[in-house]
Amino acid sequence: MFKYPISSLITVLLTWAAVAIPSIFDASRNMISPAEYLLHGCVLVLTLLVINESTRYGYKTRYYLLFLLFTSIAYLMFLVPLSIVLIYSVMYCSILAFYAPIRFCYVYIFASHGLFLIVHTFYWQTGWQWASAGMFMAFHLFALVMTQRMISERNAKEELALTNAKLEATQHLLSNAAAQSERLRIARDLHDEVGHSLTSLIINLDVTRRTCMPTQLTQLQACYEQAKQALATTRAIVSDKRNDIGFDLVQSLTQLSKQTPRVKVHLKISPKVKHVQLSTAQCLLKCVQEAITNTLKHAPTATDMDITLQEQNGNLELFIKDNGLLKGEVVLGNGLTGMQERVAQIKGQLDIDTSKQGLSLTIRVPYE
């Protein structure tokens, strides 16, 4: 139920200890309120719940937790007359950058420091703490900038890795298309040139063996049978070349799934699915690529993706599902709209399911 990167867990615990221990064991204070112990504990628990990478609860719950965490930090300002409480706010700002737009984070920084100045001036009667407020505002801005840079670098690395995977899959698609084109050319040449020449030879041999001398009949009959066998072999080769035309979708999907960054792709392909028409394979491959892109871009908490391809009642069924958390209602942007258009072009159907946790896509296309 709880899943944390070791570095994040250690950072949170050390930061919490750096604030809670000096605050609780401050010798200059005569009495520590029980509410202060409770709020320090709430800050730790709420922070751990927010940064939890498990998908047991969604964004709506996390936003509630963030609000409660902010309320706890704000309330501590009325219980602890130390500016060290703002270290909690620095940690909160770093976490908020993953859930809110950058402008909202800047608004939070100015609002929290405004609250800090007002509380210390009018509640604690310590005057305007401009120096402390300015110092901790610099810490907030530094934490926010570094967090944003980390997010940008992570997104750039994921985009580069995914682009490389897409390029390799597309290269495999083009090489397969070129090989199919070459097989078709060879099949046509064999049929049009060699096949016609052998047919003409058989006709001439047939006429000759019917009008030849009895002493030459045996040799002409052998040549006639050899020519018929050669024609049958040529026709078999032509048929085999044409029937072998199809795209090896399994290899491309396997290659793409192995090179997908951050998200672990679980690929399941039915043994019944072998060669697929080039147009169908191209459509399904592009849909999988777009689904992976959407997951990496819009579901930062996603860690696993299931991709299942099977043959069902004369159709190919492609099922895609991730375990990411939906931030809200799914809007048909350019990616999903493009997927619908691609599927419709080959007389298929795309179903989008958001009733469960994560996003599920089901694609059905004719399997010929």
Side-chain angles (χ1 to χ4, degrees), residues 163-180:
T163 300
N164 182 62
K166 288 182 178 180
L167 287 175
E168 291 191 9
T170 303
Q171 182 181 9
H172 179 255
L173 178 70
L174 293 175
S175 62
N176 194 274
Q180 290 185 15

Side-chain angles (χ1 to χ4, degrees), residues 233-283:
T233 302
T234 301
R235 287 176 175 173
I237 293 174
V238 170
S239 298
D240 182 66
K241 290 292 182 183
R242 291 187 180 277
N243 293 334
D244 191 43
I245 294 175
F247 182 68
D248 187 7
L249 184 59
V250 176
Q251 181 179 350
S252 293
L253 290 178
T254 302
Q255 185 178 14
L256 181 62
S257 63
K258 289 182 178 179
Q259 296 182 339
T260 299
R262 182 163 59 86
V263 177
K264 185 176 182 180
V265 179
H266 305 278
L267 184 63
K268 299 179 181 179
I269 300 179
S270 171
K272 296 181 180 179
V273 179
K274 296 181 179 179
H275 286 76
V276 182
Q277 284 191 353
L278 186 60
S279 57
T280 303
Q282 183 179 16
C283 172

Side-chain angles (χ1 to χ4, degrees), residues 198 202 225-239:
L198 287 174
I202 290 172
E225 295 297 333
Q226 288 179 0
K228 288 181 63 178
Q229 183 61 39
L231 180 60
T233 302
T234 301
R235 287 176 175 173
I237 293 174
V238 170
S239 298

Side-chain angles (χ1 to χ4, degrees), residues 74-129:
Y75 193 24
L76 271 173
M77 293 183 186
F78 291 91
L79 296 178
V80 182
L82 303 175
S83 60
I84 196 173
V85 174
L86 283 176
I87 295 179
Y88 280 156
S89 183
V90 175
M91 181 175 63
Y92 181 87
C93 185
S94 299
I95 297 173
L96 188 64
F98 289 93
Y99 293 92
I102 185 67
R103 292 181 180 178
F104 187 86
C105 295
Y106 283 119
V107 171
Y108 165 76
I109 291 175
F110 286 101
S112 60
H113 285 79
L115 177 64
F116 169 79
L117 288 172
I118 292 173
V119 169
H120 275 264
T121 301
F122 298 104
Y123 183 80
W124 292 110
Q125 303 283 323
T126 58
W128 296 96
Q129 300 290 321

